[in-house]
Amino acid sequence: MTPEQKRNNRRMGLTLASIAVLFFIGFIVRMVWFGR
């Protein structure tokens, strides 16, 4: 595996992780906002 592939994999992983975090935060906010 070349350094270029490693860099691309890391960027893809960070992108997927940030999307997952955003979904999680959105879910929590929605539960708090509409959970009253």
Side-chain angles (χ1 to χ4, degrees):
M1 181 174 277
T2 66
E4 182 72 25
Q5 286 174 319
K6 285 184 182 178
R7 193 158 65 241
N8 286 342
N9 284 351
R10 189 180 304 128
R11 184 164 43 219
M12 176 69 79
L14 285 174
T15 302
L16 291 175
S18 60
I19 290 172
V21 168
L22 285 176
F23 268 101
F24 189 64
I25 290 174
F27 181 74
I28 290 176
V29 167
R30 202 166 60 215
M31 291 297 287
V32 169
W33 199 255
F34 296 113
R36 300 174 190 184

mmCIF file of all heavy atoms in Angstrom:
data_model
loop_
_atom_site.group_PDB
_atom_site.id
_atom_site.type_symbol
_atom_site.label_atom_id
_atom_site.label_comp_id
_atom_site.label_asym_id
_atom_site.label_seq_id
_atom_site.Cartn_x
_atom_site.Cartn_y
_atom_site.Cartn_z
ATOM 1 N N MET A 1 0.853 -1.191 0.000
ATOM 2 C CA MET A 1 0.000 0.000 0.000
ATOM 3 C C MET A 1 0.893 1.246 0.000
ATOM 4 O O MET A 1 1.778 1.394 0.827
ATOM 5 C CB MET A 1 -0.883 -0.011 1.257
ATOM 6 C CG MET A 1 -1.819 1.191 1.336
ATOM 7 S SD MET A 1 -2.949 1.064 2.731
ATOM 8 C CE MET A 1 -4.201 0.041 2.010
ATOM 9 N N THR A 2 0.625 2.127 -0.937
ATOM 10 C CA THR A 2 1.453 3.319 -1.074
ATOM 11 C C THR A 2 1.032 4.396 -0.076
ATOM 12 O O THR A 2 -0.091 4.366 0.434
ATOM 13 C CB THR A 2 1.313 3.885 -2.501
ATOM 14 O OG1 THR A 2 -0.031 4.341 -2.678
ATOM 15 C CG2 THR A 2 1.623 2.838 -3.543
ATOM 16 N N PRO A 3 1.929 5.344 0.194
ATOM 17 C CA PRO A 3 1.562 6.463 1.090
ATOM 18 C C PRO A 3 0.328 7.217 0.586
ATOM 19 O O PRO A 3 -0.478 7.687 1.374
ATOM 20 C CB PRO A 3 2.798 7.354 1.063
ATOM 21 C CG PRO A 3 3.926 6.429 0.743
ATOM 22 C CD PRO A 3 3.327 5.387 -0.184
ATOM 23 N N GLU A 4 0.199 7.321 -0.730
ATOM 24 C CA GLU A 4 -0.978 7.987 -1.310
ATOM 25 C C GLU A 4 -2.261 7.264 -0.921
ATOM 26 O O GLU A 4 -3.243 7.890 -0.529
ATOM 27 C CB GLU A 4 -0.827 8.023 -2.838
ATOM 28 C CG GLU A 4 -1.971 8.742 -3.551
ATOM 29 C CD GLU A 4 -1.923 10.248 -3.340
ATOM 30 O OE1 GLU A 4 -0.820 10.768 -3.082
ATOM 31 O OE2 GLU A 4 -2.979 10.889 -3.420
ATOM 32 N N GLN A 5 -2.246 5.934 -0.996
ATOM 33 C CA GLN A 5 -3.432 5.153 -0.620
ATOM 34 C C GLN A 5 -3.721 5.299 0.874
ATOM 35 O O GLN A 5 -4.878 5.412 1.275
ATOM 36 C CB GLN A 5 -3.217 3.681 -0.966
ATOM 37 C CG GLN A 5 -3.303 3.405 -2.466
ATOM 38 C CD GLN A 5 -2.944 1.964 -2.793
ATOM 39 O OE1 GLN A 5 -2.001 1.407 -2.229
ATOM 40 N NE2 GLN A 5 -3.679 1.360 -3.693
ATOM 41 N N LYS A 6 -2.664 5.296 1.694
ATOM 42 C CA LYS A 6 -2.865 5.456 3.135
ATOM 43 C C LYS A 6 -3.508 6.798 3.433
ATOM 44 O O LYS A 6 -4.419 6.894 4.251
ATOM 45 C CB LYS A 6 -1.523 5.351 3.868
ATOM 46 C CG LYS A 6 -1.006 3.931 3.962
ATOM 47 C CD LYS A 6 0.264 3.892 4.783
ATOM 48 C CE LYS A 6 0.813 2.469 4.836
ATOM 49 N NZ LYS A 6 2.071 2.418 5.594
ATOM 50 N N ARG A 7 -3.027 7.848 2.747
ATOM 51 C CA ARG A 7 -3.585 9.182 2.985
ATOM 52 C C ARG A 7 -5.045 9.226 2.552
ATOM 53 O O ARG A 7 -5.897 9.764 3.251
ATOM 54 C CB ARG A 7 -2.763 10.228 2.227
ATOM 55 C CG ARG A 7 -3.072 11.646 2.668
ATOM 56 C CD ARG A 7 -1.950 12.608 2.335
ATOM 57 N NE ARG A 7 -1.786 12.720 0.888
ATOM 58 C CZ ARG A 7 -0.665 12.391 0.240
ATOM 59 N NH1 ARG A 7 0.381 11.945 0.894
ATOM 60 N NH2 ARG A 7 -0.586 12.521 -1.061
ATOM 61 N N ASN A 8 -5.348 8.628 1.410
ATOM 62 C CA ASN A 8 -6.737 8.602 0.941
ATOM 63 C C ASN A 8 -7.624 7.815 1.901
ATOM 64 O O ASN A 8 -8.755 8.221 2.178
ATOM 65 C CB ASN A 8 -6.808 7.986 -0.462
ATOM 66 C CG ASN A 8 -6.277 8.943 -1.528
ATOM 67 O OD1 ASN A 8 -6.174 10.144 -1.292
ATOM 68 N ND2 ASN A 8 -5.944 8.409 -2.683
ATOM 69 N N ASN A 9 -7.121 6.681 2.413
ATOM 70 C CA ASN A 9 -7.901 5.879 3.359
ATOM 71 C C ASN A 9 -8.168 6.652 4.639
ATOM 72 O O ASN A 9 -9.267 6.592 5.186
ATOM 73 C CB ASN A 9 -7.159 4.585 3.687
ATOM 74 C CG ASN A 9 -7.253 3.585 2.542
ATOM 75 O OD1 ASN A 9 -7.992 3.793 1.591
ATOM 76 N ND2 ASN A 9 -6.508 2.506 2.651
ATOM 77 N N ARG A 10 -7.142 7.372 5.116
ATOM 78 C CA ARG A 10 -7.325 8.134 6.345
ATOM 79 C C ARG A 10 -8.362 9.234 6.136
ATOM 80 O O ARG A 10 -9.224 9.455 6.977
ATOM 81 C CB ARG A 10 -5.995 8.752 6.782
ATOM 82 C CG ARG A 10 -6.077 9.363 8.170
ATOM 83 C CD ARG A 10 -4.744 9.971 8.604
ATOM 84 N NE ARG A 10 -3.670 8.987 8.533
ATOM 85 C CZ ARG A 10 -2.521 9.201 7.883
ATOM 86 N NH1 ARG A 10 -2.305 10.335 7.280
ATOM 87 N NH2 ARG A 10 -1.608 8.255 7.859
ATOM 88 N N ARG A 11 -8.283 9.913 4.980
ATOM 89 C CA ARG A 11 -9.259 10.976 4.718
ATOM 90 C C ARG A 11 -10.664 10.396 4.615
ATOM 91 O O ARG A 11 -11.625 10.975 5.128
ATOM 92 C CB ARG A 11 -8.891 11.710 3.421
ATOM 93 C CG ARG A 11 -9.822 12.886 3.162
ATOM 94 C CD ARG A 11 -9.248 13.833 2.116
ATOM 95 N NE ARG A 11 -8.669 13.103 1.010
ATOM 96 C CZ ARG A 11 -7.543 13.469 0.385
ATOM 97 N NH1 ARG A 11 -6.901 14.547 0.760
ATOM 98 N NH2 ARG A 11 -7.083 12.764 -0.608
ATOM 99 N N MET A 12 -10.808 9.249 3.965
ATOM 100 C CA MET A 12 -12.119 8.601 3.856
ATOM 101 C C MET A 12 -12.637 8.217 5.234
ATOM 102 O O MET A 12 -13.800 8.439 5.554
ATOM 103 C CB MET A 12 -12.005 7.350 2.971
ATOM 104 C CG MET A 12 -13.308 6.566 2.887
ATOM 105 S SD MET A 12 -14.589 7.413 1.973
ATOM 106 C CE MET A 12 -14.052 7.057 0.305
ATOM 107 N N GLY A 13 -11.762 7.684 6.075
ATOM 108 C CA GLY A 13 -12.167 7.297 7.423
ATOM 109 C C GLY A 13 -12.607 8.500 8.243
ATOM 110 O O GLY A 13 -13.607 8.451 8.943
ATOM 111 N N LEU A 14 -11.851 9.594 8.148
ATOM 112 C CA LEU A 14 -12.224 10.805 8.885
ATOM 113 C C LEU A 14 -13.554 11.348 8.386
ATOM 114 O O LEU A 14 -14.387 11.793 9.177
ATOM 115 C CB LEU A 14 -11.144 11.869 8.715
ATOM 116 C CG LEU A 14 -9.869 11.627 9.513
ATOM 117 C CD1 LEU A 14 -8.814 12.679 9.158
ATOM 118 C CD2 LEU A 14 -10.146 11.667 11.001
ATOM 119 N N THR A 15 -13.778 11.292 7.077
ATOM 120 C CA THR A 15 -15.037 11.774 6.515
ATOM 121 C C THR A 15 -16.204 10.948 7.037
ATOM 122 O O THR A 15 -17.208 11.498 7.506
ATOM 123 C CB THR A 15 -14.992 11.700 4.973
ATOM 124 O OG1 THR A 15 -13.892 12.485 4.506
ATOM 125 C CG2 THR A 15 -16.277 12.232 4.368
ATOM 126 N N LEU A 16 -16.071 9.626 6.998
ATOM 127 C CA LEU A 16 -17.144 8.757 7.484
ATOM 128 C C LEU A 16 -17.376 8.951 8.978
ATOM 129 O O LEU A 16 -18.518 8.985 9.436
ATOM 130 C CB LEU A 16 -16.798 7.297 7.181
ATOM 131 C CG LEU A 16 -16.828 6.926 5.699
ATOM 132 C CD1 LEU A 16 -16.359 5.487 5.512
ATOM 133 C CD2 LEU A 16 -18.203 7.113 5.106
ATOM 134 N N ALA A 17 -16.290 9.097 9.725
ATOM 135 C CA ALA A 17 -16.419 9.289 11.174
ATOM 136 C C ALA A 17 -17.125 10.602 11.487
ATOM 137 O O ALA A 17 -17.992 10.658 12.361
ATOM 138 C CB ALA A 17 -15.037 9.265 11.827
ATOM 139 N N SER A 18 -16.773 11.665 10.757
ATOM 140 C CA SER A 18 -17.413 12.958 11.024
ATOM 141 C C SER A 18 -18.891 12.914 10.663
ATOM 142 O O SER A 18 -19.726 13.483 11.374
ATOM 143 C CB SER A 18 -16.706 14.067 10.242
ATOM 144 O OG SER A 18 -16.749 13.827 8.855
ATOM 145 N N ILE A 19 -19.239 12.203 9.581
ATOM 146 C CA ILE A 19 -20.652 12.055 9.221
ATOM 147 C C ILE A 19 -21.393 11.299 10.323
ATOM 148 O O ILE A 19 -22.496 11.688 10.727
ATOM 149 C CB ILE A 19 -20.787 11.335 7.864
ATOM 150 C CG1 ILE A 19 -20.295 12.260 6.744
ATOM 151 C CG2 ILE A 19 -22.239 10.920 7.618
ATOM 152 C CD1 ILE A 19 -20.210 11.574 5.402
ATOM 153 N N ALA A 20 -20.786 10.231 10.839
ATOM 154 C CA ALA A 20 -21.422 9.460 11.910
ATOM 155 C C ALA A 20 -21.615 10.326 13.152
ATOM 156 O O ALA A 20 -22.664 10.278 13.787
ATOM 157 C CB ALA A 20 -20.556 8.236 12.242
ATOM 158 N N VAL A 21 -20.608 11.140 13.494
ATOM 159 C CA VAL A 21 -20.715 12.024 14.657
ATOM 160 C C VAL A 21 -21.823 13.042 14.455
ATOM 161 O O VAL A 21 -22.606 13.313 15.370
ATOM 162 C CB VAL A 21 -19.361 12.734 14.917
ATOM 163 C CG1 VAL A 21 -19.522 13.870 15.917
ATOM 164 C CG2 VAL A 21 -18.334 11.728 15.417
ATOM 165 N N LEU A 22 -21.918 13.608 13.243
ATOM 166 C CA LEU A 22 -22.977 14.579 12.970
ATOM 167 C C LEU A 22 -24.356 13.946 13.121
ATOM 168 O O LEU A 22 -25.261 14.551 13.700
ATOM 169 C CB LEU A 22 -22.813 15.147 11.556
ATOM 170 C CG LEU A 22 -21.687 16.165 11.398
ATOM 171 C CD1 LEU A 22 -21.559 16.568 9.929
ATOM 172 C CD2 LEU A 22 -21.939 17.385 12.261
ATOM 173 N N PHE A 23 -24.519 12.727 12.593
ATOM 174 C CA PHE A 23 -25.803 12.042 12.745
ATOM 175 C C PHE A 23 -26.118 11.800 14.223
ATOM 176 O O PHE A 23 -27.247 11.984 14.665
ATOM 177 C CB PHE A 23 -25.781 10.692 12.009
ATOM 178 C CG PHE A 23 -26.278 10.790 10.596
ATOM 179 C CD1 PHE A 23 -25.387 10.839 9.530
ATOM 180 C CD2 PHE A 23 -27.640 10.836 10.335
ATOM 181 C CE1 PHE A 23 -25.850 10.936 8.239
ATOM 182 C CE2 PHE A 23 -28.110 10.936 9.046
ATOM 183 C CZ PHE A 23 -27.213 10.985 7.987
ATOM 184 N N PHE A 24 -25.108 11.392 14.986
ATOM 185 C CA PHE A 24 -25.307 11.112 16.403
ATOM 186 C C PHE A 24 -25.715 12.375 17.158
ATOM 187 O O PHE A 24 -26.657 12.363 17.952
ATOM 188 C CB PHE A 24 -24.008 10.529 16.977
ATOM 189 C CG PHE A 24 -24.166 10.005 18.373
ATOM 190 C CD1 PHE A 24 -25.004 8.930 18.634
ATOM 191 C CD2 PHE A 24 -23.462 10.575 19.421
ATOM 192 C CE1 PHE A 24 -25.147 8.433 19.922
ATOM 193 C CE2 PHE A 24 -23.595 10.085 20.709
ATOM 194 C CZ PHE A 24 -24.438 9.020 20.964
ATOM 195 N N ILE A 25 -25.011 13.477 16.896
ATOM 196 C CA ILE A 25 -25.339 14.745 17.545
ATOM 197 C C ILE A 25 -26.736 15.199 17.142
ATOM 198 O O ILE A 25 -27.529 15.639 17.983
ATOM 199 C CB ILE A 25 -24.285 15.814 17.186
ATOM 200 C CG1 ILE A 25 -22.957 15.482 17.866
ATOM 201 C CG2 ILE A 25 -24.772 17.205 17.609
ATOM 202 C CD1 ILE A 25 -21.824 16.388 17.457
ATOM 203 N N GLY A 26 -27.070 15.069 15.869
ATOM 204 C CA GLY A 26 -28.402 15.440 15.407
ATOM 205 C C GLY A 26 -29.480 14.617 16.094
ATOM 206 O O GLY A 26 -30.533 15.135 16.459
ATOM 207 N N PHE A 27 -29.218 13.341 16.291
ATOM 208 C CA PHE A 27 -30.175 12.461 16.959
ATOM 209 C C PHE A 27 -30.387 12.903 18.412
ATOM 210 O O PHE A 27 -31.513 13.003 18.883
ATOM 211 C CB PHE A 27 -29.653 11.023 16.906
ATOM 212 C CG PHE A 27 -30.582 10.028 17.551
ATOM 213 C CD1 PHE A 27 -31.748 9.652 16.928
ATOM 214 C CD2 PHE A 27 -30.260 9.477 18.791
ATOM 215 C CE1 PHE A 27 -32.605 8.732 17.516
ATOM 216 C CE2 PHE A 27 -31.105 8.558 19.390
ATOM 217 C CZ PHE A 27 -32.278 8.191 18.752
ATOM 218 N N ILE A 28 -29.278 13.201 19.109
ATOM 219 C CA ILE A 28 -29.369 13.644 20.501
ATOM 220 C C ILE A 28 -30.125 14.964 20.589
ATOM 221 O O ILE A 28 -31.010 15.139 21.432
ATOM 222 C CB ILE A 28 -27.958 13.781 21.108
ATOM 223 C CG1 ILE A 28 -27.342 12.394 21.289
ATOM 224 C CG2 ILE A 28 -28.016 14.514 22.450
ATOM 225 C CD1 ILE A 28 -25.914 12.425 21.781
ATOM 226 N N VAL A 29 -29.805 15.902 19.699
ATOM 227 C CA VAL A 29 -30.489 17.200 19.721
ATOM 228 C C VAL A 29 -31.976 17.014 19.484
ATOM 229 O O VAL A 29 -32.799 17.641 20.151
ATOM 230 C CB VAL A 29 -29.872 18.131 18.652
ATOM 231 C CG1 VAL A 29 -30.752 19.361 18.427
ATOM 232 C CG2 VAL A 29 -28.465 18.546 19.065
ATOM 233 N N ARG A 30 -32.316 16.133 18.556
ATOM 234 C CA ARG A 30 -33.739 15.913 18.264
ATOM 235 C C ARG A 30 -34.442 15.287 19.473
ATOM 236 O O ARG A 30 -35.574 15.665 19.799
ATOM 237 C CB ARG A 30 -33.891 15.022 17.045
ATOM 238 C CG ARG A 30 -35.255 15.164 16.372
ATOM 239 C CD ARG A 30 -35.257 14.537 14.991
ATOM 240 N NE ARG A 30 -34.934 13.122 15.092
ATOM 241 C CZ ARG A 30 -34.228 12.453 14.181
ATOM 242 N NH1 ARG A 30 -33.759 13.061 13.131
ATOM 243 N NH2 ARG A 30 -34.000 11.180 14.348
ATOM 244 N N MET A 31 -33.776 14.343 20.141
ATOM 245 C CA MET A 31 -34.387 13.720 21.329
ATOM 246 C C MET A 31 -34.610 14.775 22.420
ATOM 247 O O MET A 31 -35.658 14.797 23.065
ATOM 248 C CB MET A 31 -33.469 12.615 21.875
ATOM 249 C CG MET A 31 -33.383 11.413 20.956
ATOM 250 S SD MET A 31 -34.955 10.563 20.727
ATOM 251 C CE MET A 31 -35.093 9.779 22.325
ATOM 252 N N VAL A 32 -33.640 15.655 22.634
ATOM 253 C CA VAL A 32 -33.762 16.689 23.661
ATOM 254 C C VAL A 32 -34.835 17.687 23.250
ATOM 255 O O VAL A 32 -35.659 18.105 24.057
ATOM 256 C CB VAL A 32 -32.397 17.389 23.861
ATOM 257 C CG1 VAL A 32 -32.578 18.635 24.733
ATOM 258 C CG2 VAL A 32 -31.394 16.433 24.480
ATOM 259 N N TRP A 33 -34.829 18.105 21.970
ATOM 260 C CA TRP A 33 -35.723 19.154 21.496
ATOM 261 C C TRP A 33 -37.180 18.699 21.525
ATOM 262 O O TRP A 33 -38.065 19.431 21.938
ATOM 263 C CB TRP A 33 -35.307 19.550 20.085
ATOM 264 C CG TRP A 33 -35.830 20.895 19.666
ATOM 265 C CD1 TRP A 33 -36.850 21.110 18.815
ATOM 266 C CD2 TRP A 33 -35.354 22.177 20.082
ATOM 267 N NE1 TRP A 33 -37.030 22.456 18.668
ATOM 268 C CE2 TRP A 33 -36.148 23.145 19.439
ATOM 269 C CE3 TRP A 33 -34.353 22.579 20.966
ATOM 270 C CZ2 TRP A 33 -35.943 24.496 19.640
ATOM 271 C CZ3 TRP A 33 -34.148 23.939 21.150
ATOM 272 C CH2 TRP A 33 -34.942 24.875 20.489
ATOM 273 N N PHE A 34 -37.422 17.457 21.023
ATOM 274 C CA PHE A 34 -38.803 16.978 20.901
ATOM 275 C C PHE A 34 -39.188 16.005 22.016
ATOM 276 O O PHE A 34 -40.278 15.460 22.006
ATOM 277 C CB PHE A 34 -39.007 16.286 19.546
ATOM 278 C CG PHE A 34 -38.846 17.238 18.384
ATOM 279 C CD1 PHE A 34 -37.790 17.091 17.518
ATOM 280 C CD2 PHE A 34 -39.763 18.251 18.188
ATOM 281 C CE1 PHE A 34 -37.626 17.962 16.444
ATOM 282 C CE2 PHE A 34 -39.617 19.130 17.121
ATOM 283 C CZ PHE A 34 -38.552 18.972 16.257
ATOM 284 N N GLY A 35 -38.269 15.805 22.973
ATOM 285 C CA GLY A 35 -38.529 14.814 24.019
ATOM 286 C C GLY A 35 -39.287 15.371 25.209
ATOM 287 O O GLY A 35 -39.382 14.716 26.233
ATOM 288 N N ARG A 36 -39.802 16.591 25.075
ATOM 289 C CA ARG A 36 -40.484 17.210 26.216
ATOM 290 C C ARG A 36 -41.928 16.717 26.308
ATOM 291 O O ARG A 36 -42.608 16.667 25.328
ATOM 292 C CB ARG A 36 -40.471 18.715 26.066
ATOM 293 C CG ARG A 36 -39.048 19.224 26.022
ATOM 294 C CD ARG A 36 -39.001 20.706 25.723
ATOM 295 N NE ARG A 36 -37.616 21.084 25.463
ATOM 296 C CZ ARG A 36 -37.244 22.321 25.247
ATOM 297 N NH1 ARG A 36 -38.082 23.298 25.264
ATOM 298 N NH2 ARG A 36 -35.989 22.572 25.018
#
